[in-house]
């Protein structure tokens, strides 16, 4: 049976370190680190994420500024808010919850955020620095995954890592981070042929597709490490991963559960990125 990679427990540990650092920041600079979170529209999943981010800030001594904008917000209104937040001294990090409504231009929005406050790491400057091997602010989910692999002593150098999903949020950046630590990377996606065969060869599997239990447990090589980024609401209302956990845990040496794996670490890394941005701005 596999070791369960406990993202909740690791988050608790990291968050207590972050709290101590936020308190020290506040003592030094006379104000806490600040994170602005912008939600446009009323997507229920996004609303839950944004609420959880606000709660997590409160628990770690980070001041949270929440903006809930109407579904019909115009591009100009959203850009004007970002400009205002870019200019506000007590805001160290800015996050626009994705997806935003279809009438808005996401690329233009992400480009408008000051790269020094881009705690999501989605701005082309930060993405480009990561691509060049000099990471600045790194996207939160991939950072959380690397923290878990390090904490559990997973050897990465020389290993075959298969990433399923090619998003800017997870797939591309996690592939780069694993490559920087000398893994050999295969990035798979919806048009990949023989997905099962590729996964069967992987020492490290990162699943970020968004399809409930699409990766069958018996595709996992014996001894592989499985990281499941999936957060799929099943018909019964339960949260399910992209990997068939019940069967995969019989083959894997380590595996992340859903919930309680990658999810909590993503928010923890957002808090940490906010602290990093705050320190970098003021020092
Ligand atoms: N939507 C899903 N994941 C994320 C994330 O990490 N950041 C933002 N801003 N939106 C998301």
């Amino acid at each position: 049976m596999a070791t369960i990679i406990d993202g909740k427990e690791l988050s608790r540990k990291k968050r207590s370190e972050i709290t101590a650092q936020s308190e020290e920041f506040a003592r030094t600079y006379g104000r806490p680190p600040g994170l602005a979170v912008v939600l446009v529209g009323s997507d229920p999943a996004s609303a839950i994420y944004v609420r959880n981010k606000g709660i997590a800030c409160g628990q770690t001594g980070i001041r949270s500024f929440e903006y809930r904008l109407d579904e019909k917000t115009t591009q100009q209104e959203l850009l004007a808010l970002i400009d205002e937040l870019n200019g506000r001294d007590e805001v160290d990090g800015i996050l626009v919850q994705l997806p935003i409504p279809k009438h808005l231009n996401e690329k233009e929005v992400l480009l408008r955020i000051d790269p020094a406050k881009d705690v999501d790491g989605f701005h082309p400057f930060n993405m480009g620095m990561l691509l060049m091997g000099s990471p600045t602010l790194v996207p939160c989910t991939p950072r959380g995954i690397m923290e878990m692999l390090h904490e559990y002593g997973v050897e990465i150098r020389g290993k075959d890592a298969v990433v399923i999903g090619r998003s800017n949020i997870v797939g591309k950046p996690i592939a780069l981070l694993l490559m920087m630590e000398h893994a050999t990377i295969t990035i798979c996606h919806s048009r990949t042929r023989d997905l099962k065969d590729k996964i069967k060869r992987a020492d490290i599997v990162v699943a970020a597709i968004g399809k409930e239990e699409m990766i069958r447990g018996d595709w996992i090589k014996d001894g592989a490490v499985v990281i499941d980024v999936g957060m799929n609401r099943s018909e019964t209302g339960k949260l399910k991963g992209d990997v068939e956990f019940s069967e995969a845990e019989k083959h894997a040496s380590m595996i992340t559960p859903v919930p309680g794996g990658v999810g909590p670490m993503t928010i923890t890394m957002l808090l940490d990125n906010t602290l990093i941005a705050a320190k970098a701005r003021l020092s």
Side-chain angles (χ1 to χ4, degrees):
M1 274 305 200
T3 299
I4 304 297
I5 299 180
D6 188 343
K8 232 167 133 177
E9 179 53 35
L10 182 55
S11 273
R12 258 196 289 276
K13 195 168 107 184
K14 294 267 168 207
R15 286 185 198 191
S16 83
E17 292 165 14
I18 291 168
T19 307
Q21 290 179 52
S22 310
E23 285 166 357
E24 193 191 328
F25 181 95
R27 277 195 299 276
T28 308
Y29 298 106
R31 66 159 181 88
L35 171 66
V37 178
V38 181
L39 172 65
V40 188
S42 54
D43 176 61
S46 290
I48 293 171
Y49 295 143
V50 166
R51 198 194 58 187
N52 288 341
K53 286 168 187 172
I55 293 170
C57 282
Q59 291 166 342
T60 49
I62 293 173
R63 182 167 171 207
S64 125
F65 303 82
E66 283 183 28
Y67 295 84
R68 291 162 198 279
L69 306 184
D70 191 86
E71 184 86 35
K72 295 196 180 68
T73 299
T74 65
Q75 184 77 4
Q76 283 65 35
E77 286 166 336
L78 182 53
L79 294 178
L81 173 59
I82 291 170
D83 289 342
E84 184 201 323
L85 296 172
N86 282 339
R88 271 179 77 173
D89 250 353
E90 69 272 39
V91 171
D92 300 294
I94 303 170
L95 176 149
V96 177
Q97 184 66 33
L98 302 178
I100 54 177
K102 289 208 174 11
H103 68 279
L104 298 171
N105 180 341
E106 180 182 301
K107 210 171 283 173
E108 192 184 26
V109 168
L110 296 180
L111 262 166
R112 194 68 160 244
I113 297 171
D114 178 351
K117 296 190 176 189
D118 171 38
V119 286
D120 259 329
F122 294 165
H123 188 286
F125 173 80
N126 290 316
M127 284 283 197
M129 291 302 278
L130 175 60
L131 183 64
M132 294 180 77
S134 305
T136 42
L137 287 166
V138 174
C140 303
T141 301
R143 259 202 81 198
I145 293 170
M146 296 309 290
E147 290 277 341
M148 291 194 288
L149 294 175
H150 294 153
E151 175 74 14
Y152 281 79
V154 174
E155 202 180 313
I156 299 171
R157 176 186 292 262
K159 298 292 180 186
D160 287 318
V162 170
V163 175
I164 310 108
R166 54 178 155 179
S167 70
N168 292 330
I169 297 182
V170 184
K172 286 181 207 168
I174 189 62
L176 292 169
L177 290 170
L178 289 165
M179 187 164 60
M180 279 177 68
E181 296 197 17
H182 315 293
T184 302
I185 306 300
T186 304
I187 304 180
C188 302
H189 46 77
S190 55
R191 314 296 154 83
T192 295
R193 288 188 217 160
D194 306 322
L195 180 64
K196 175 179 165 182
D197 294 338
K198 291 181 172 64
I199 291 173
K200 272 186 170 280
R201 287 200 292 269
D203 302 306
I204 299 170
V205 176
V206 179
I209 336 157
K211 284 207 166 74
E212 181 182 334
E213 298 198 341
M214 197 197 102
I215 296 174
R216 309 313 297 172
D218 63 1
W219 299 1
I220 302 300
K221 181 167 86 172
D222 285 335
V225 174
V226 177
I227 305 291
D228 191 347
V229 184
M231 293 248 253
N232 311 293
R233 193 63 68 181
S234 75
E235 279 173 12
T236 59
K238 274 179 77 175
L239 210 52
K240 291 276 188 181
D242 290 343
V243 180
E244 184 198 14
F245 183 91
S246 58
E247 191 62 29
E249 72 167 336
K250 296 178 190 161
H251 299 278
S253 61
M254 296 185 200
I255 186 166
T256 62
V258 177
V262 174
M265 285 302 289
T266 294
I267 297 188
T268 301
M269 291 299 108
L270 173 66
L271 304 169
D272 200 45
N273 274 351
T274 303
L275 203 56
I276 290 171
K279 287 179 183 169
R281 287 183 63 239
L282 294 193
S283 62

